[in-house]
Amino acid sequence: MISKYLTRANVDINVSQIEGALSELDSFIAETANKQEAVWSFMIPELGEGGACSLFGHLQEAPFELESYLVRSPQSDLRLSQLQTIVHYIQQRTNVDWFGIYQNTVTNDGLQLLKLSYCGAPSRPLFPVNDTFAATSNNVQVVMSGLGRVINNVQSYVESGGEYYTCDPKVQSESCLPLYDEHMQCIGIIDAEAFRNDFFTAETLAILIAACIRIPHYLP
């Protein structure tokens, strides 16, 4: 599975590093089962004109409710709790400044990336999956292509013409990696952000890829 993931995502990391990270993640999940509560409601930023960007530091009065997109049940509550456990592990293990898990979701406005679980500053909960939004969003680029994207210097990336959606101006490194189903079709992404350049070393990426391999088992 690890080799298939690396080939499909076009990411070059030593397999043995990911095997060790997977073992550690599985142990953490087993040891901390049911310790993280599912989060069904969270604050989100105001969106700019036309909804194209987030107004960082300006929050909407009403929280975003996942129940508008997911049926709440004991099973979905458990799945969100398990995802929150993985989020907690990633933050604790890597000290990343922001981390989120997104799933492809069909909405009244078409296919979108729905944020299921995260840690860090409030952020946009939905990203439209279409060519228009892909022109300014590496998240959408990744989910549409199924290819991973690691940016260790956001400023240089943008200056060279790379697609980038600015949610928090402090972000200097970002890693966006795909989630696959059993047929290796992209069904979502993870997004990790750091406030310094060159954050995503091989060790850190191995931990993130281990999470990518496990997360699909816990999606609601």
Side-chain angles (χ1 to χ4, degrees):
M1 179 62 189
I2 295 175
S3 295
K4 288 175 66 176
Y5 182 93
L6 295 175
T7 299
R8 176 72 173 90
N10 194 31
V11 179
D12 184 18
I13 301 293
N14 188 283
V15 171
S16 63
Q17 283 185 285
I18 300 171
E19 288 174 339
L22 268 172
S23 177
E24 186 177 312
L25 174 58
D26 288 340
S27 295
F28 184 88
I29 293 173
E31 292 168 3
T32 61
N34 303 320
K35 290 188 178 180
Q36 297 292 320
E37 290 187 11
V39 179
W40 285 89
S41 175
F42 39 81
M43 302 306 296
I44 58 174
E46 292 280 4
L47 294 181
E49 186 176 352
C53 61
S54 297
L55 300 179
F56 183 72
H58 299 270
L59 299 180
Q60 296 184 23
E61 287 188 16
F64 180 80
E65 304 291 347
L66 272 177
E67 282 187 80
S68 298
Y69 299 89
L70 294 177
V71 175
R72 190 161 188 171
S73 67
Q75 182 182 28
S76 59
D77 201 66
L78 174 61
R79 292 297 179 90
L80 287 181
S81 172
Q82 291 166 326
L83 292 179
Q84 198 64 37
T85 295
I86 294 175
V87 168
H88 178 68
Y89 170 79
I90 292 296
Q91 198 284 325
Q92 177 180 291
R93 186 69 176 79
T94 68
N95 291 316
V96 72
D97 293 290
W98 197 95
F99 180 77
I101 298 170
Y102 298 78
Q103 182 177 25
N104 291 358
T105 302
V106 177
T107 73
N108 292 334
D109 297 313
L111 183 65
Q112 301 199 59
L113 277 173
L114 171 66
K115 185 174 67 178
L116 298 176
S117 185
Y118 80 104
C119 65
S123 63
R124 184 182 186 123
L126 289 163
F127 284 88
V129 179
N130 56 48
D131 291 334
T132 300
F133 213 85
T136 56
S137 170
N138 54 302
N139 287 3
V140 177
Q141 281 277 341
V142 169
V143 77
M144 290 180 70
S145 68
L147 302 177
R149 186 165 293 188
V150 179
I151 305 169
N152 266 318
N153 188 314
V154 168
Q155 183 177 349
S156 295
Y157 178 78
V158 173
E159 289 175 352
S160 67
E163 310 86 354
Y164 194 77
Y165 180 92
T166 300
C167 183
D168 187 339
K170 294 193 296 296
V171 175
Q172 297 183 48
S173 298
E174 180 168 4
S175 182
C176 186
L177 298 170
L179 305 173
Y180 302 125
D181 62 15
E182 64 272 21
H183 304 296
M184 303 307 290
Q185 297 300 307
C186 190
I187 56 173
I189 64 165
I190 64 162
D191 188 23
E193 301 175 346
F195 296 161
R196 63 177 175 84
N197 290 329
D198 302 315
F199 180 86
F200 295 104
T201 63
E203 179 183 2
T204 300
L205 286 172
I207 294 168
L208 294 178
I209 291 169
C212 288
I213 291 172
R214 284 294 177 260
I215 286 169
H217 298 286
Y218 301 111
L219 291 176

